[in-house]
Amino acid sequence: MVRDNAKTKGAGNDRGNRSGATSGKNLDGFVEIMADLIAEAKIEGLVTGTTKTQVNLPGYLRPSKDWDLVLSRQGELLAAIEFKSHVGPSFGNNFNNRAEEAMGSSLDLRTAVQHGVYGDGHRMPFLGWCILVEDAPKSRAETGIASLIRTFKPMEEFRGESYLGRYDIFCQRLMEQSFYTAASVIASPELEGLESGDYSDMSEATSFEAFIRRFWEHLATV
């Protein structure tokens, strides 16, 4: 059922049928996909927040942060999801910025939950992070690591990886280390993506279909 839902909404394996998920204002298409899934679950009492007043959540390290979609029920926070995009020509510094933002947002919210900001004994909500990256020669090209005299060496798996490859590693490790319940990277050409919905996944683990599947599995537990 999850696979069928994902394909219907453009998150399946058909690279030419994304149903315009990345068109429209910013990344609203992705928010709509998730909101539709919540509606299809038909779970009583769920409140899907997508407006400014509904997605502003308190943190522990900072007063609050805006997410893109917040799911709650009777005062319980069930999910918080953020969608980002990364378009060239600059990929190096922006990759670091996106990574730092993602880690910081998770750390802040998870710590807030642990310290009772959302109520004593509040269980950890579903946290989702998804990034749409321009599929371009510069994002696909192998990248080096500055050859400085180092006492401590970068991990070998980062050597020679493209920025899209680094995002794939990043998303997998966000999940491995429980920063996020689900993390996804989607590669799409800037012009062709808008016109035809063409996109590709970097790996099964970080595909948008896997992202949706994990979210659907979470809905089954609420």
Side-chain angles (χ1 to χ4, degrees):
M1 182 174 183
V2 174
R3 184 179 296 271
D4 291 340
N5 286 336
K7 286 184 178 179
T8 300
K9 295 176 177 58
N13 292 324
D14 184 356
R15 296 295 182 260
N17 291 281
R18 192 171 41 161
S19 305
T22 59
S23 62
K25 182 181 178 182
N26 298 325
L27 299 170
D28 288 351
F30 287 102
V31 176
E32 291 171 8
I33 289 173
M34 306 309 292
D36 286 348
L37 280 175
I38 295 168
E40 287 179 13
K42 296 181 179 179
I43 300 174
E44 187 176 354
L46 294 184
V47 176
T48 305
T50 58
T51 64
K52 177 75 172 179
T53 57
Q54 296 173 314
V55 298
N56 186 263
L57 296 178
Y60 184 79
L61 304 172
R62 55 186 168 183
S64 64
K65 171 196 161 44
D66 288 343
W67 295 75
D68 291 312
L69 184 146
V70 169
L71 183 65
S72 62
R73 181 176 58 192
Q74 297 179 344
E76 180 186 7
L77 177 62
L78 300 177
I81 302 174
E82 185 165 44
F83 295 99
K84 290 290 187 181
S85 63
H86 187 168
V87 177
S90 175
F91 288 100
N93 289 336
N94 288 340
F95 170 81
N96 288 334
N97 291 338
R98 289 288 184 269
E100 290 165 7
E101 291 169 0
M103 291 183 289
S105 296
S106 169
L107 175 63
D108 194 20
L109 183 53
R110 289 178 61 83
T111 306
V113 172
Q114 293 167 350
H115 283 263
V117 174
Y118 291 85
D120 293 339
H122 193 293
R123 68 170 176 166
M124 196 62 64
F126 174 99
L127 294 184
W129 189 80
C130 177
I131 187 161
L132 177 66
V133 181
E134 181 185 358
D135 197 339
K138 286 187 177 180
S139 64
R140 289 278 184 182
E142 291 187 3
T143 57
I145 299 176
S147 56
L148 302 175
I149 298 175
R150 298 175 182 269
T151 301
F152 306 107
K153 304 295 184 182
M155 300 183 74
E156 284 299 321
E157 48 264 56
F158 289 113
R159 294 187 181 277
E161 266 294 355
S162 66
Y163 286 110
L164 274 168
R166 290 183 182 185
Y167 270 122
D168 185 43
I169 294 171
F170 179 63
C171 286
Q172 291 194 46
R173 291 181 175 178
L174 285 177
M175 293 183 284
E176 289 171 1
Q177 299 301 314
S178 297
F179 279 89
Y180 287 89
T181 318
S184 175
V185 53
I186 303 169
S188 181
E190 184 178 15
L191 296 180
E192 294 90 336
L194 289 174
E195 293 173 357
S196 67
D198 187 39
Y199 80 99
S200 61
D201 301 319
M202 296 306 298
S203 68
E204 192 285 328
T206 65
S207 68
F208 191 55
E209 184 179 356
F211 185 96
I212 286 179
R213 184 170 60 250
R214 293 187 184 98
F215 182 67
W216 189 263
E217 291 170 350
H218 176 74
L219 287 179
T221 69
V222 302

